[in-house]
Amino acid sequence: MDDDGSAALEFIAVGVVLLVPLVYLIIALGAIQEQTLGAEAAARHTARAIALAPDAENAELSGERVLASVSEQYGIDPDSAEVSVTCTPEVAACPSAGATITVVVAAKVSLPLIPAIFGLDEAASVSVEGTAVQKVSRLWGGG
């Protein structure tokens, strides 16, 4: 039996077979981490913008602008992101003076290199969520 030179070829073949999934895993985890940080930042900055706005009308506009800006920076699809804003204690108007605002931003991360045929991109997606809580001043909206 003549095995001259086959060890190097086998080493390269096995190395490539093991390296390709490892590289894909690193890329996928990087994408998930980016979107997770983006959802967290979007929630935090949106809650802060709402709490620091002078009144309810400006709070909504400010929150939408901040959310759009952070979503763009982190590559979050604004159409697929779900945002919920709640206040504690529950009052007729949210936000209100003295309330605690909770902002939750949820998004889906599509894994890289998954084709959009037969719904594979939806099946191969990971949900991420960011939550932030911000206290509104007792003097909020007073002038």
Side-chain angles (χ1 to χ4, degrees), residues 1-100:
M1 225 154 104
D2 190 18
D3 287 338
D4 292 337
S6 65
L9 182 61
E10 289 172 4
F11 179 75
I12 291 171
V14 169
V16 168
V17 167
L18 294 175
L19 187 63
V20 169
L22 182 63
V23 169
Y24 181 79
L25 180 65
I26 291 169
I27 292 170
L29 289 176
I32 293 169
Q33 181 67 23
E34 177 188 28
Q35 297 290 313
T36 302
L37 291 173
E40 196 68 38
R44 182 176 57 251
H45 292 299
T46 301
R48 184 160 172 81
I50 291 171
L52 293 177
D55 55 27
E57 184 178 310
N58 286 328
E60 184 177 349
L61 292 172
S62 178
E64 289 174 0
R65 278 187 290 196
V66 167
L67 181 63
S69 175
V70 173
S71 294
E72 181 182 334
Q73 289 175 2
Y74 284 92
I76 297 173
D77 182 16
D79 296 331
S80 69
E82 297 177 14
V83 180
S84 82
V85 178
T86 57
C87 291
T88 307
E90 293 182 20
V91 291
C94 181
S96 62
T100 301

